[in-house]
Amino acid sequence: MQLLRSIVFSLLAATSVAVPRGDDSRHQAIQPRSANAKYALKEPPLTTPWTDKVGTDPWPEYPRPQMQRSQWQNLNGIWQYRNASSLAEAQNPPFGQDLGQEVLIPSCLESGISGIQGNYHLYSWFSNSFKVPANWNGQQILLNFGAVDYEATVFVNGKQAGFNRGGYFRFTVDVTQFVKPGQQNELLVFVHDPTDSEDYVIPIGKQTHHPSHIFYTPCSGIWQTVWLEAAPANYITQLDLDANMNGQVNVTVHTSAANTTTNVQVIVHDNGDVVATHRGPSNQPFQFNVESPKLWSPDSPKLYNVTVKMGKDQVQSYTGFRTISKGTVNGVVRPLLNGEFIFMFGTLDQGFWPDGIYLPPTKEAMVYDLKMLKNLGFNTVRKHIKVEPQLFYQACDELGLLVIQDMPSLRPLQSRRLSDCTTQTILPDAAQQVEFGRQLEVLVNQHKSFPSIATWVVYNEGWGQITSYYPEFELTDRVKQLDPTRLVDSTTGWFDHGAGDFSDNHHYANPQCGSPFYSTDSSPYDDTRIGLQGEFGGLGNNVSIEHLWNVQAAINTINQTYELDQTIEIWNYRSHIMLAELEDQVKRFSCSGGIWTQTTDVEGEVNGLMTYDRRLARVDEAQWKADIQALYDAAAARGNATMSTH
């Protein structure tokens, strides 16, 4: 197999948003006890250019960019780890004990970066210790987790302090009553991550204990940043910001004293200059206006810094002025950005890494993928049945990439064998469906202030979607009630019963976008909704072993790729044909956007713009830029007309 030449991209510089850096005591915060097995990076089946840059001080950036406090300590670094045997162990915590192994936090236990790189981590213990700075005395001490997969029980100094369920979402534990000022405090976390074991039906996306082709190595444990911060007795718990094209800023400041109302001050800055100041009540929505704002778009991703003050609490945030809607243009229902038809073209972005699995090795690595897409001319990224660290969405805000955000799927495409020897598709029961709906709400509430997010996706290709009735209608209504400022793609591909804003077709390899033809595994175009090619392409090109996930079971599935092109030249030729066909459908029919599969290879899939290690780019850069621009030009020719908004 030939070794393909690498194409080096010129990367775009992101527009930065001023953020507080925190105090300098973060290194003193972590004082782990001695463990028998010292931390060492394990060699994964494939590395990236950033694998060796991880070190033992990973992800030092403030992890919650839209609600930042100045007094904080990053607890990332070397912790202790021990495997547990059952859920019952949570009732007998190993307080004051050496857990035996060192592990890097944040990380997936299945990754080389973790120093563990194991399998079937159903139950796990993690421990560390921290000391609270003296100048935090008298304040609330908040312990934050970016994400723990899947259930986390948190203990501080021998007492249970909190519990969280959901592997993709941040949570905060107020540990004030458990902390000993001026002393080392023991932090112990029990994690239960069933993934797709036994009868568990939970949001897992593409994680599986049995990786094969389009389903991948799972992620267990504390896989996003852990940090402490100080706040007053009544503190801000969530900040909802939406700024539209007319200059209206919609704000809700949620607080720990949820049943009281406190005066809140919001200050909007543009390059250090105050452009608006407004006061309103906490725990209630309020609005104010900014005159003649510069609008956010992929072509001009303008952001404004925002300061929110409430009593003794103060947080830093940012927003972008833009309006996402739909309307009829020349008789076709279209997605609109700031009142104009925008052709949304992006990639299926899986967010997997050979060295970190679910977590990129560094922020630089994560942003590299996004800059590559932006450089080629993509204006959209579909975050595929996964939720990223919040710094990912900040990078999309800064670069100008619209985000189609999927809800992670429930246990996709699996079946169980019944006692009568028949098989049954695994779907959620009533309680599991309720939990899916709850976590969908958490997804929306935690991410609805990022300007780049344009669309929420409820179901992907029927995975975990009940078909005896149509839950997508109720879930779509719920999402729109939580966030009326965005579009909802209720079912991307497969079982479309008419819910939501999109008529979304998946077809490999060629597109069927807003067209009068379709395949039986999808649905016909519904002209009352936006025509979207939610997935297409998937063209494969095998590479030499140094760029492959070096696991034989994965290599054995490469021939399951939709189409394999024998040379890089043929891969680009076939890509050009697919993009030209999509362009023709934009000109002739009602196509309003497309999602190319995919950003990178993943394990046994070799259909990425780049290989899994990000060292080899398949794309002919000039050709791809021209083909993508042709899509935008074709859409513009269809969109220069009067319109009516919906």
Side-chain angles (χ1 to χ4, degrees), residues 199-202 410-411 416 424-437 459 464-466 468-469 471:
D199 289 329
Y200 287 96
V201 181
I202 62 175
L410 294 163
R411 198 163 182 170
R416 59 169 66 93
Q424 176 190 66
T425 300
I426 297 177
L427 290 170
D429 61 24
Q432 292 162 342
Q433 182 67 21
V434 168
E435 178 62 18
F436 177 78
Y459 287 112
Q465 180 184 354
I466 298 170
S468 57
Y469 67 99

Side-chain angles (χ1 to χ4, degrees), residues 254-277:
H254 305 266
T255 71
S256 56
N259 297 322
T260 64
T261 299
T262 306
N263 185 273
V264 172
Q265 183 182 33
V266 181
I267 306 168
V268 182
H269 310 264
D270 181 14
N271 295 323
D273 297 327
V274 175
V275 297
T277 301

Side-chain angles (χ1 to χ4, degrees), residues 26-39 56 74-81 96-105 126-131 184-187:
R26 64 182 306 279
H27 297 287
Q28 285 72 44
I30 301 177
Q31 297 185 19
R33 293 182 298 273
S34 173
N36 293 328
K38 297 298 183 182
Y39 170 75
T56 56
N74 193 327
L75 298 187
N76 293 345
I78 296 175
W79 291 38
Q80 286 194 22
Y81 159 79
Q97 297 180 27
D98 184 340
L99 298 188
Q101 286 183 280
E102 289 186 343
V103 63
L104 192 68
I105 298 297
F126 299 86
S127 72
N128 203 352
S129 65
F130 61 88
K131 188 174 181 180
Q184 287 295 321
N185 297 277
E186 182 186 41
L187 171 59

Side-chain angles (χ1 to χ4, degrees), residues 146-152 163-171 192 202-203 223 435 438-439 442:
V148 179
D149 199 355
Y150 171 67
E151 294 176 333
F163 173 82
N164 185 74
R165 175 179 291 122
Y168 297 93
F169 311 113
R170 70 173 188 266
F171 63 97
H192 173 213
I202 62 175
W223 71 279
E435 178 62 18
R438 184 193 71 83
Q439 292 191 33
V442 175

Side-chain angles (χ1 to χ4, degrees), residues 115-281:
I116 306 298
Q117 197 167 251
N119 297 301
Y120 295 97
H121 295 283
L122 301 181
Y123 311 99
S124 305
W125 284 108
F126 299 86
S127 72
N128 203 352
S129 65
F130 61 88
K131 188 174 181 180
V132 175
N135 63 355
W136 289 16
N137 289 347
Q139 300 189 77
Q140 302 301 113
I141 309 302
L142 308 179
L143 175 62
N144 302 281
F145 294 82
V148 179
D149 199 355
Y150 171 67
E151 294 176 333
T153 307
V154 180
F155 302 87
V156 176
N157 291 331
K159 302 291 180 61
Q160 182 172 332
F163 173 82
N164 185 74
R165 175 179 291 122
Y168 297 93
F169 311 113
R170 70 173 188 266
F171 63 97
T172 299
V173 180
D174 188 333
V175 297
T176 310
Q177 63 178 310
F178 308 105
V179 167
K180 299 174 182 178
Q183 301 181 39
Q184 287 295 321
N185 297 277
E186 182 186 41
L187 171 59
L188 196 63
V189 183
F190 180 80
V191 178
H192 173 213
D193 183 20
T195 312
D196 56 354
S197 63
E198 301 178 15
D199 289 329
Y200 287 96
V201 181
I202 62 175
I204 56 175
K206 286 200 169 186
Q207 300 181 76
T208 178
H209 284 138
H210 308 282
S212 179
H213 197 47
I214 67 169
F215 298 104
Y216 318 128
T217 302
C219 173
S220 302
I222 304 171
W223 71 279
Q224 291 188 29
T225 291
V226 185
W227 78 103
L228 286 170
E229 58 190 353
N234 185 19
Y235 58 90
I236 298 168
T237 58
Q238 180 177 315
L239 178 61
D240 299 341
L241 282 175
D242 172 69
N244 67 30
M245 61 182 285
N246 299 314
Q248 184 181 72
V249 183
N250 300 285
V251 185
T252 304
V253 180
H254 305 266
T255 71
S256 56
N259 297 322
T260 64
T261 299
T262 306
N263 185 273
V264 172
Q265 183 182 33
V266 181
I267 306 168
V268 182
H269 310 264
D270 181 14
N271 295 323
D273 297 327
V274 175
V275 297
T277 301
H278 187 82
R279 293 184 182 275

